[in-house]
Amino acid sequence: MPVLLEAAKTQDLVTLIPWTFIAQICNLFIQIFLIKKFLFKPIREILDKRRAKADADITEANKAKEEAEAIKLEYEQNMLEAREKANNILADAQKTATVKSEEIIREANQTAIALKAKAEKDIEQEKRKAVNEIKDEIGSMAMEIAGKVIEREISEEDHSKLIDEFIEKVGEE
């Protein structure tokens, strides 16, 4: 009998009681409703918020990337313009320096020509002055010699002495 009792208990566990079954099914639906309402709905809202935030972050990142590319493009354009301006300034400076150096050389040549002409004029004037002074000296010496010649009769020897004296005086002066 103990085996029968155990079999009956086992059978009681396996048998289906309709009101218990309906209560269990209702309990299951209530649990599903509560889980859906209080667990799945908030989780779904959190996931939707995360998805929206991720989409907004991606959109913002793309916008920042586009702005950075625009700034980079503008920077590169400004660098090209700056290089071009620097090259123009350098070319202008070289042209100005070339013109200035040619002008300085031209002025130096003109100054040199003017100085040379002045020096030649001064030399010519000094030459004429020296020639005139020599002529005056020669004239006064000739007068002196003539005076000496008149004072005495000149022999051949005296004549050559006078000429030598004259040459020495001219050489000294």
Side-chain angles (χ1 to χ4, degrees):
M1 266 232 238
V3 176
L4 271 178
L5 255 173
E6 283 181 32
K9 281 185 183 178
T10 309
Q11 191 175 17
D12 280 340
L13 289 175
V14 175
T15 58
L16 214 89
I17 302 172
W19 286 111
T20 307
F21 179 72
I22 290 174
Q24 286 178 344
I25 288 181
C26 285
N27 187 17
L28 178 69
F29 282 127
I30 290 172
Q31 284 179 356
I32 289 174
F33 173 76
L34 290 175
I35 288 173
K36 188 176 179 184
K37 176 132 178 128
F38 294 110
L39 184 65
F40 287 151
K41 190 174 182 182
I43 289 176
R44 187 174 294 128
E45 286 176 0
I46 290 171
L47 290 176
D48 287 343
K49 286 179 183 177
R50 278 186 156 180
R51 186 176 297 119
K53 186 175 183 327
D55 289 343
D57 288 346
I58 289 171
T59 304
E60 188 176 316
N62 286 336
K63 186 177 179 182
K65 182 180 176 184
E66 289 173 2
E67 288 176 2
E69 287 177 1
I71 290 171
K72 179 184 174 190
L73 186 65
E74 182 180 345
Y75 171 76
E76 288 174 352
Q77 184 68 30
N78 287 342
M79 287 302 294
L80 286 174
E81 289 175 5
R83 279 193 191 116
E84 192 173 304
K85 284 181 182 178
N87 288 338
N88 288 342
I89 290 170
L90 185 61
D92 289 344
Q94 287 175 342
K95 286 178 186 175
T96 304
T98 303
V99 167
K100 197 73 164 169
S101 66
E102 287 175 358
E103 184 178 318
I104 289 170
I105 290 171
R106 200 174 321 112
E107 287 176 4
N109 285 338
Q110 289 174 351
T111 304
I113 290 170
L115 286 174
K116 185 179 176 184
K118 185 179 180 211
E120 286 175 355
K121 281 182 182 178
D122 289 347
I123 289 170
E124 186 66 35
Q125 189 177 14
E126 289 295 320
K127 192 176 175 184
R128 273 187 257 136
K129 189 176 176 183
V131 167
N132 287 337
E133 285 178 4
I134 290 175
K135 282 182 183 178
D136 289 343
E137 287 282 327
I138 291 173
S140 66
M141 286 183 175
M143 293 287 275
E144 203 176 298
I145 291 173
K148 285 183 183 181
V149 168
I150 294 175
E151 283 179 10
R152 59 184 171 168
E153 206 51 50
I154 303 176
S155 63
E156 198 59 44
E157 196 176 297
D158 289 335
H159 187 290
S160 60
K161 263 187 187 182
L162 285 174
I163 291 176
D164 288 338
E165 283 178 24
F166 175 74
I167 291 173
E168 283 180 28
K169 279 188 179 180
V170 172
E172 288 174 3
E173 291 181 19

